[in-house]
Amino acid sequence: MRDVVIVGGGTAGWMTAAYLTAAFGNRVKITLVESADVGTIGVGEATFSDIRHFFEFLGLAERDWMPACNATYKLAVRFENWREPGHHFYHPFEQLKSVKGFPLTDWWLRYPTSKRFDTDCFVMASLIDANRNPRYLDNRLLEQEFVESDDLPNTIAEYQGAQFPYAYHFEAHLLAKYLTKYATDRGVRHVVDNVVDVGRDERGWLSHVDTAEHGRLAGDLFVDCTGFRGLLLNKALEEPFVSYQDTLPNDSAVALQVPMDMDKDPLRPCTTATAQDAGWIWTIPLISRIGTGYVYSGDYIDPEEAERTLREFVGPAAADVPANHIKMRIGRSRRSWVNNCVAIGLSSGFVEPLESTGIFFIHYAIEQLVKYYPAADWERSLREQYNSALMNVMDGVREFLVLHYRGAKRADNQYWRDTKIRTVPDSLAERLEQWESKVPDAGTVYPRYHGLPPYSYNCVLLGTGGIDVRPSPALDLIDEKDALAEFQAVRDKARHLVRTLPTQNEYFRRMREG
Ligand code: FAD
């Protein structure tokens, strides 16, 4: 199990190579082969807050990698127009407080102290409205109580239940480049060539890949990071793909990279998802440009119309920028690990990027691969545990994403009306009924680990506004004094932080100037 061949040099391939090197050092020999002719997907710039464990595991501080990747901070996803035009709400990286055993959102439904649940229940919402940075100019984190890296556990699994207050935006190709150097400096062999054939032994296990110019690459374990192609897992091993398209119909995207000037344009510390006639547009602010794209369903509009809509949305800055049209494969491979082949990245599975879960899936998969790494006997149970962990994560995220569309109050055209009558996964249908009489809590969200805590479901339900949720009847019988004091504490803390934290522009200008 000492010889690993990774095919594919996108975000998935290089994250895997770097992480395995950090985990195993030179006890495992790693070769990564990537094609110069087949490009990477070129998008994938917004992350989950767990990603910081990836960099910590590699021993990289923000000051090492962030400037090299034009990275910025992300405090939340901002949803615009999902309820009605002009409305927005945040899904922030901040745990929801409870008062007397009930989530603050439940109290808010009973005692709505303003029209906005997000600014009343979460400190972050006001910070993002004011474009605040999560660190002070001297680099301290916004909260005293968030302990810095050395004291924190460094895998996602150990970290469940806690919430770090931010994630990152970065340029995907710069991150791949950065990780290429990291991995090759530590001994990973890098082959730039096309894989033209995949060899199997008499049991049907992979034995080697043939390249056009570098001959045969043999290995014990093969990692398929070939993106939507699934060259090893889906093509060579014929593992079927389970589509999610019946519940998540968006199957296409068009993306633009729009130049921006940090000295003039505000660097909003969040990813924005703006609802459109046949999907939604993402906006991701980076140091020197904005990454933006329209995710849509090809059943409702064609690529030309999608591109036109995106260009109008961006305005004159998009005029000379080429568009990247992408067809998306939505769903997951039935099993991500078959025999001696593990698919990581888009080859394993993908849901639309509404909650930035693509890189989270990759990170989680790599951690699980290390956790369930096989010995020479290829114990079957290790693969099975890995496969169910990955399946749970992707199926759980699918449920969460479906909730955004089912919950959206918007129903002004066929696309949005269909989101109200389309099939939802069975288990979600049951939960939707429960949530009408009680906001989500740990007992009523998707029960297996999928990266999303109950407060995420609260945000989406209350923010999208199309499902009628009521406060728990018990709140009529409990003194509300402490809950009202907590709302006041959130307001006070937000006011203090907005006053004292710099804007993202100020912070990164200072970083640039050293
Ligand atoms: P790819 O980038 O497609 O890389 C495939 C690699 O395989 C390439 O290096 C290619 O050269 C190589 N290859 C293919 N065939 C061969 C061959 N025959 N021989 C040799 N090499 C070969 N994720 C997030 O977390 N946040 C986001 O905001 C986000 N936004 C997204 C938006 C869109 C529209 C899409 C489609 C995805 C988004 N994702 C996002 C997902 C994210 O982009 C991917 O998870 C990530 O880029 C990983 O891609 P990959 O490495 O699996 O595949």
Side-chain angles (χ1 to χ4, degrees), residues 211-230:
T211 60
E213 289 167 10
H214 291 75
R216 184 158 286 190
L217 302 174
D220 301 309
L221 178 72
F222 291 81
V223 188
D224 182 347
C225 296
T226 58
F228 288 133
R229 282 169 200 80

Side-chain angles (χ1 to χ4, degrees), residues 8-12 35 38 40-41 43-44 46 195 225-227 231 346 350 353 358-359:
T11 309
S35 166
V38 184
T40 60
I41 197 91
V43 286
V195 168
C225 296
T226 58
L231 196 67
L346 299 172
F350 178 62
I359 293 166

Side-chain angles (χ1 to χ4, degrees), residues 12-13 15 50 52 63 78-80 123 176 221 254 264 277 312 353 370 388 483 485 514:
M15 280 181 72
D50 307 273
R52 71 191 293 271
R63 66 175 175 282
R78 172 184 165 112
F79 291 90
E80 288 184 352
V123 172
L221 178 72
V254 50
K264 288 209 296 271
D277 283 351
E312 277 167 20
V370 170
S388 54

Side-chain angles (χ1 to χ4, degrees), residues 427-449:
S427 44
L428 178 62
E430 191 185 316
R431 282 189 260 283
L432 283 171
E433 260 178 51
Q434 294 171 333
W435 293 336
E436 283 180 19
S437 51
K438 169 115 184 50
V439 292
D441 58 31
T444 59
V445 300
Y446 189 79
R448 285 174 286 277
Y449 179 69

Side-chain angles (χ1 to χ4, degrees), residues 7-14 32-48 74 169-170 172 191-197 210-211 224-229 231 252-255 271 280 282 284 293-295 326-329 344-362:
V7 183
T11 309
W14 284 112
L32 185 146
V33 53
E34 67 174 315
S35 166
D37 304 322
V38 184
T40 60
I41 197 91
V43 286
E45 301 172 330
T47 56
F48 249 37
K74 166 184 172 183
H169 300 128
F170 48 65
V191 177
V192 179
D193 204 343
N194 291 318
V195 168
V196 289
D197 199 12
D210 284 320
T211 60
D224 182 347
C225 296
T226 58
F228 288 133
R229 282 169 200 80
L231 196 67
S252 310
V254 50
T271 304
W280 58 278
W282 79 78
I284 297 177
Y294 188 177
V295 173
I326 300 162
K327 198 80 192 145
M328 305 187 299
R329 185 177 76 152
I344 294 182
L346 299 172
S347 51
S348 159
F350 178 62
V351 292
E352 59 174 274
L354 187 55
E355 288 280 357
S356 323
T357 44
I359 293 166
F360 164 70
F361 288 163
I362 295 171

